[in-house]
Amino acid sequence: IWALPLTIPIWLLIVFPLWAMGFIRYDGSPAPFVAQFVANLWRADWWEKAWDGWGGVIAPCAIILARSPEEFLRPDSLIKHELRHLQQLFVLGVLWPLAYAGHTLIILFLIESKHPYLDNFLEMDARRYAGQKVDYTPLEWMDGSDDRWPWW
């Protein structure tokens, strides 16, 4: 119930239309009540570019992966990471996107020594849960120590 105000509009306005237009395909269920989808990157150039640098994203009760799990170096780790985000969403409900975006923006504008994505507490929790590397120095940021863009 707590996540329902997010679930209905996201599925009606994003997940179902992407699936119906062939931009994502159903790929099973990694956990009870969770649908897994894979992006069909061949569908359009802009769609492929939108996924550049991403492993996956979540929607309530759904994981959307950039490509088939077999194509990832550690697919189980990625799926565990995304499942942790779903757990976070079910605990925080409608506050999850606000917490995620709020912490990202605080880091982006107020904490220059941190990376808005890598140091986001929800991302760090998901990486810890999935057994992924948690702490990064600025030299390890995606595009080097000047990289402060949070999403790619």
Side-chain angles (χ1 to χ4, degrees):
I1 300 292
W2 182 227
L4 199 58
L6 294 173
T7 306
I8 293 172
I10 289 173
W11 273 80
L12 287 176
L13 300 174
I14 299 171
V15 177
F16 282 137
L18 287 174
W19 172 78
M21 293 184 292
F23 284 98
I24 59 175
R25 69 180 187 280
Y26 178 74
D27 192 48
S29 176
F33 308 106
V34 177
Q36 181 171 293
F37 295 90
V38 175
N40 291 322
L41 299 181
W42 51 265
R43 192 80 170 108
D45 287 341
W46 67 267
W47 183 242
E48 185 174 359
K49 287 178 184 154
W51 282 94
D52 188 35
W54 289 76
V57 296
I58 64 160
C61 300
I63 294 172
I64 304 172
L65 301 175
R67 40 190 198 275
S68 295
E70 309 81 52
E71 297 177 52
F72 287 100
L73 187 60
R74 294 180 57 207
D76 293 344
S77 175
L78 172 65
I79 292 168
K80 277 184 79 173
H81 177 108
E82 299 304 334
L83 286 172
R84 183 59 170 193
H85 282 314
L86 285 176
Q87 289 174 350
Q88 294 166 351
L89 180 125
F90 291 133
V91 169
L92 296 173
V94 296
L95 299 176
W96 187 84
L98 299 172
Y100 191 102
H103 195 238
T104 297
L105 293 172
I106 287 169
I107 293 171
L108 182 63
F109 293 112
L110 300 176
I111 309 173
E112 232 174 89
S113 63
K114 301 284 186 186
H115 190 277
Y117 172 77
L118 295 173
D119 291 309
N120 182 300
F121 76 101
L122 293 167
E123 286 297 336
M124 292 177 75
D125 175 64
R127 288 196 306 273
R128 188 175 293 109
Y129 179 82
Q132 300 167 325
K133 182 174 176 152
V134 176
D135 296 311
Y136 289 85
T137 67
L139 294 175
E140 296 174 293
W141 292 353
M142 286 76 107
D143 292 323
S145 60
D146 291 333
D147 171 27
R148 300 250 317 128
W149 186 241
W151 293 286
W152 57 80

